[in-house]
């Protein structure tokens, strides 16, 4: 009986059946190898896209943060250049742009002993201290520093000549300018902003504000995040190996040694070992030579600024995915011989992919919300507010509808921070937003456009009605203190108001400038006021 069973069994195992079975196994292995490669590429593309979304959102957020931090640095020269006391002071030097024959120490001693220049230096120091600015200085028509407000630990700028700087040369032509350079007297990496000072149409000097890039270190830059200037040179990075190196193809690689020495105080600029990499059908991947690991790359330029933020994210996970392919093939090949196992494997894979996609969509939605919302107060951030302002301007052009804009700034906010600490200051900001949102209409929009500066968009509102709203806000703030740790914090706000000029189809930049001027006037008139710019 046993012999009979064995005979029947061996009859089934014919050469043809063995060959057919072997061919099916080979075909299955080939199919499994093909699909394992396809799935590997899909996973690589998914990882790259996900990491690029992270990198791009991070670059845009940091760029927006830098732009927000530099608002006051940009605006101070603009406002001070039209200040009559600045014009009057520079008039004593005249319009002569020829360099003085006196030595720097002679000029410094002479100007330091001048009472009028001394008063201007004291004023610059007060302004610098109020807005927590690094440096403000004034140059005469020859490019000599005649008055300067600076941090106490910095060397004396007065008497130093800056006539070769781009920001001075552009101001001579009547243009506002900005520039990155290593400080001439203190060797600090800095951003400079300048505005020409004119008297009867004649150039008589320049107002310059400066911020040290070290002031931006609290941006919490990661190891593979860096910031470049307009010439593509890395000027801010956590990794010191990246500093003062240039992106491939940047302008700085073509600059002369004299220009490089003047701007960066070194003889040459080395190229950053960053190379594009075509990685199996996916873009936005580069190879960083310092470790030969592929990275996804994204960058964003700070709006209205000359600096760009660059983000690299490590893609070592891709190398692991490639190594996992062999193991995946072996596992799939032998377990996939059984159809049921194959079906369950595909279902599990599809469900996993669907879950990852949902996570990615949720993360993208969250990042989009964060990109439009101020993290502390919950109101619109600077970027979102100005987008709404431009949309309202376009609507006004199309339908001939009026609208107004308020710029609101907390008076003596630095004193609040000094007295109650930054948590107390944060509470004041949140309290102000809550108070204003109860007063304005649902169709109005409140946005945080600076540290303690807010903008309010009032659609279909004339200047008269906007002034009434502004006064209600000012009065409510004055009579409703914030509460922090059972202490009442009394504070006030200054508000600048400007109605959009329909007939002129006024640009957004001009409207903002008029609002800023109104706010500046409110500050100058004693604060806790509403000022209207006609």
């Amino acid at each position: 009986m046993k012999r009979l069973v064995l005979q029947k069994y061996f009859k089934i195992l014919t050469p043809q059946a063995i060959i057919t079975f072997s061919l099916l196994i080979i075909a299955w292995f080939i199919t499994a190898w093909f699909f394992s490669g396809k799935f590997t590429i899909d996973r690589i593309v998914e990882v790259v896209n996900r990491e690029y979304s992270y990198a791009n959102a991070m670059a845009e957020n940091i760029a927006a943060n830098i732009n927000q931090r530099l608002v006051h640095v940009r605006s101070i020269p603009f406002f001070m250049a039209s200040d009559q006391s600045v014009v009057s002071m520079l008039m004593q030097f005249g319009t002569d742009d020829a360099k003085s024959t006196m030595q720097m120490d002679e000029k410094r001693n002479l100007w330091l002993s001048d009472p009028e220049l001394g008063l201007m230096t004291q004023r610059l120091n007060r302004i610098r201290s109020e807005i927590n600015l690094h440096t403000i200085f004034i140059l005469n028509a020859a490019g000599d520093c005649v008055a300067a407000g600076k941090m106490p630990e910095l060397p004396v700028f007065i008497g130093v000549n800056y006539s070769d700087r781009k920001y001075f040369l552009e101001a001579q032509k009547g243009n506002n300018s900005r520039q990155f350079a290593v400080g001439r007297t203190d060797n600090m990496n800095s951003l400079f902003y300048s505005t020409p000072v004119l008297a009867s149409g004649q150039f008589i000097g320049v107002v310059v504000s400066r911020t040290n890039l070290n002031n931006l270190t609290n941006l919490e830059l990661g190891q593979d995040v860096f910031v470049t200037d307009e010439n593509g040179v890395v000027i801010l990075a956590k990794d010191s190996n990246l500093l003062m190196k240039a992106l491939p193809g940047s302008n700085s690689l073509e600059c002369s040694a004299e220009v490089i020495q003047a701007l960066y105080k070194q003889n040459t600029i080395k190229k950053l070992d960053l190379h594009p990499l075509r990685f199996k059908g996916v873009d936005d991947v580069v190879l960083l030579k310092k470790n030969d690991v592929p990275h996804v790359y994204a960058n964003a330029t700070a709006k209205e600024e000359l600096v760009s933020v660059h983000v690299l994210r490590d893609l070592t996970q891709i190398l692991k995915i490639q190594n996992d392919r062999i193991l995946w093939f072996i596992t799939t090949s032998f377990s996939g011989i059984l159809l049921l196992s194959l079906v369950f494997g595909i279902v599990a894979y599809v469900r996993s992919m669907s879950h990852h996609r949902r996570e990615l969509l949720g993360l993208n939605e969250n990042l989009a919300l964060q990109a439009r919302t101020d993290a502390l107060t919950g109101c619109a951030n600077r970027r979102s507010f100005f987008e709404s302002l431009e949309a309202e301007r376009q609507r006004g052009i199309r339908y001939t509808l009026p609208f107004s804009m308020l710029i609101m700034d907390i008076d003596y906010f630095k004193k609040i921070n000094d007295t109650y600490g930054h948590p107390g200051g944060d509470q004041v900001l949140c309290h102000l937003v809550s108070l204003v949102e109860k007063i304005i209409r649902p169709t109005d929009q409140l946005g945080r456009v600076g540290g303690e500066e807010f903008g309010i968009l009032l659609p279909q509102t004339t200047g008269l009605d906007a002034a009434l709203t502004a006064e209600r806000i000012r009065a409510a703030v004055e009579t409703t203190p914030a509460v922090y740790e059972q202490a009442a914090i009394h504070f006030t706000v200054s508000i600048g108001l400007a109605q959009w000029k329909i007939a002129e189809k006024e640009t957004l930049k001009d409207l903002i400038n008029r609002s800023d001027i109104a706010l500046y006037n409110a500050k100058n008139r004693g604060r806790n006021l509403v000022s209207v710019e006609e």
Side-chain angles (χ1 to χ4, degrees):
M1 188 66 174
K2 184 177 180 180
R3 181 179 295 178
L4 182 61
V5 171
L6 290 174
Q7 286 177 349
K8 290 182 178 181
Y9 177 76
F10 281 111
K11 284 182 181 179
I12 296 174
L13 295 177
T14 61
Q16 185 178 1
I18 293 173
I19 292 172
T20 302
F21 182 75
S22 299
L23 290 176
L24 287 174
I25 293 296
I26 293 172
W28 176 252
F29 284 167
I30 293 173
T31 302
W33 178 255
F34 171 78
F35 280 103
S36 70
K38 182 180 182 303
F39 294 153
T40 297
I41 292 175
D42 288 345
R43 289 177 65 195
I44 289 174
V45 171
E46 179 189 0
V47 168
V48 171
N49 289 339
R50 184 181 68 225
E51 293 300 318
Y52 178 78
S53 295
Y54 289 151
N56 191 56
M58 183 183 298
E60 289 186 353
N61 285 338
I62 295 175
N65 200 344
I66 289 175
N67 187 67
Q68 180 175 317
R69 291 164 188 260
L70 296 176
V71 168
H72 288 307
V73 187
R74 290 196 306 264
S75 60
I76 283 297
F78 175 79
F79 292 119
M80 292 202 66
S82 58
D83 189 294
Q84 191 55 45
S85 62
V86 174
V87 175
S88 176
M89 182 200 73
L90 286 173
M91 282 294 292
Q92 67 175 288
F93 294 95
T95 61
D96 186 6
D97 60 0
K99 290 185 179 180
S100 173
T101 57
M102 291 190 297
Q103 295 296 317
M104 183 178 69
D105 288 341
E106 291 181 82
K107 293 184 290 183
R108 177 174 296 166
N109 293 334
L110 177 63
W111 294 337
L112 284 174
S113 62
D114 187 305
E116 182 180 357
L117 297 180
L119 289 174
M120 180 57 68
T121 291
Q122 291 176 16
R123 183 185 175 198
L124 294 179
N125 270 315
R126 284 197 301 272
I127 295 172
R128 182 201 62 77
S129 178
E130 264 189 31
I131 62 175
N132 198 25
L133 188 62
H134 190 267
T135 310
I136 309 172
F137 54 99
I138 299 176
L139 311 179
N140 63 16
D144 293 320
C145 179
V146 297
K150 63 181 186 64
M151 302 288 284
E153 64 272 13
L154 296 181
V156 178
F157 296 161
I158 295 174
V160 180
N161 186 272
Y162 296 94
S163 60
D164 62 329
R165 291 296 202 190
K166 174 187 172 183
Y167 56 78
F168 178 83
L169 297 173
E170 285 295 317
Q172 275 188 318
K173 301 174 184 177
N175 302 321
N176 295 329
S177 184
R178 61 196 73 190
Q179 179 185 14
F180 166 82
V182 178
R184 178 154 293 170
T185 57
D186 54 19
N187 296 322
M188 291 183 178
N189 293 352
S190 304
L191 293 174
F192 296 81
Y193 298 82
S194 66
T195 298
V197 182
L198 305 176
S200 301
Q202 294 293 312
F203 174 78
I204 60 172
V206 186
V207 179
V208 184
S209 62
R210 182 184 84 155
T211 184
N212 181 1
L213 288 182
N214 290 335
N215 292 342
L216 302 180
T217 53
N218 56 351
L219 292 173
E220 298 180 1
L221 301 183
Q223 191 69 19
D224 290 325
V225 178
F226 57 92
V227 178
T228 60
D229 66 358
E230 59 184 333
N231 297 318
V233 177
V234 179
I235 58 176
L236 184 62
K238 187 175 182 179
D239 185 352
S240 59
N241 292 322
L242 301 178
L243 285 173
M244 292 304 170
K245 291 185 178 178
L247 292 173
S250 62
N251 297 335
S252 58
L253 296 174
E254 306 297 328
C255 291
S256 65
E258 292 78 9
V259 172
I260 292 173
Q261 182 62 232
L263 286 179
Y264 306 106
K265 289 199 173 181
Q266 56 186 49
N267 296 326
T268 59
I269 295 291
K270 294 183 179 179
K271 185 169 68 173
L272 191 64
D273 288 329
L274 196 67
H275 306 283
L277 183 64
R278 186 69 182 176
F279 199 83
K280 295 189 176 181
V282 295
D283 298 318
D284 304 308
V285 177
V286 297
L287 192 65
L288 196 60
K289 284 296 184 180
K290 70 175 184 178
N291 49 22
D292 289 329
V293 173
H295 289 69
V296 69
Y297 170 75
N299 68 87
T301 300
K303 189 177 181 182
E304 301 181 1
E305 288 300 331
L306 48 77
V307 296
S308 298
V309 178
H310 306 261
V311 177
L312 296 170
R313 287 186 68 88
D314 193 307
L315 291 178
T316 51
Q317 187 178 355
I318 290 179
L319 303 179
K320 184 178 182 302
I321 290 173
Q322 289 180 311
N323 294 332
D324 287 346
R325 178 184 181 182
I326 302 300
L327 180 61
W328 191 92
F329 162 72
I330 295 172
T331 303
T332 303
S333 296
F334 287 97
S335 63
I337 294 175
L338 301 175
L339 181 60
L340 185 59
S341 298
L342 179 61
V343 171
F344 276 118
I346 292 175
V347 170
Y349 178 78
V350 170
R351 291 183 64 183
S352 175
M353 292 290 290
S354 176
H355 175 70
H356 287 317
R357 289 192 181 95
R358 286 197 301 271
E359 285 184 339
L360 184 58
L361 288 174
L363 179 60
N364 286 340
E365 290 175 358
N366 187 39
L367 288 173
L369 178 62
Q370 291 179 8
R372 300 183 63 82
T373 304
D374 179 61
L376 174 63
T377 63
C379 67
N381 61 16
R382 178 183 177 85
R383 174 184 177 185
S384 175
F385 176 79
F386 284 123
E387 286 177 352
S388 299
L389 200 60
E390 177 59 19
E392 187 62 29
R393 192 182 78 88
Q394 295 297 332
R395 193 178 298 112
I397 293 173
R398 183 173 182 179
Y399 299 108
T400 319
L401 295 172
F403 71 90
S404 297
M405 175 186 178
L406 308 180
I407 288 291
M408 176 175 61
D409 187 86
I410 298 175
D411 298 327
Y412 304 110
F413 186 70
K414 183 178 184 298
K415 184 176 180 181
I416 295 174
N417 277 335
D418 292 342
T419 304
Y420 299 96
H422 287 286
D426 290 348
Q427 179 61 29
V428 167
L429 293 172
C430 294
H431 171 75
L432 176 61
V433 168
S434 175
L435 197 61
V436 172
E437 287 181 340
K438 292 177 183 177
I439 296 175
I440 63 178
R441 302 167 300 183
T443 53
D444 302 334
Q445 183 168 19
L446 171 65
R448 186 180 180 190
V449 298
E452 66 272 14
E453 187 171 295
F454 295 81
I456 303 175
L457 168 62
L458 303 173
Q460 299 184 33
T461 305
T462 63
L464 180 60
D465 291 335
L468 294 174
T469 300
E471 181 57 27
R472 288 179 59 203
I473 292 173
R474 186 206 64 75
V477 172
E478 184 180 22
T479 57
T480 311
V483 178
Y484 174 68
E485 294 185 347
Q486 300 181 348
I489 304 176
H490 293 271
F491 66 101
T492 61
V493 295
S494 298
I495 302 176
L497 185 158
Q499 179 183 342
W500 179 61
K501 297 180 179 179
I502 299 177
E504 299 175 13
K505 296 182 181 178
E506 185 181 28
T507 66
L508 188 60
K509 180 178 179 181
D510 290 340
L511 175 63
I512 294 170
N513 284 341
R514 291 197 299 114
S515 300
D516 284 337
I517 291 171
L519 175 61
Y520 186 73
N521 291 336
K523 291 286 188 181
N524 280 345
R525 288 164 49 201
R527 296 179 169 81
N528 192 21
L529 293 172
V530 175
S531 176
V532 180
E533 176 66 16
E534 297 298 333

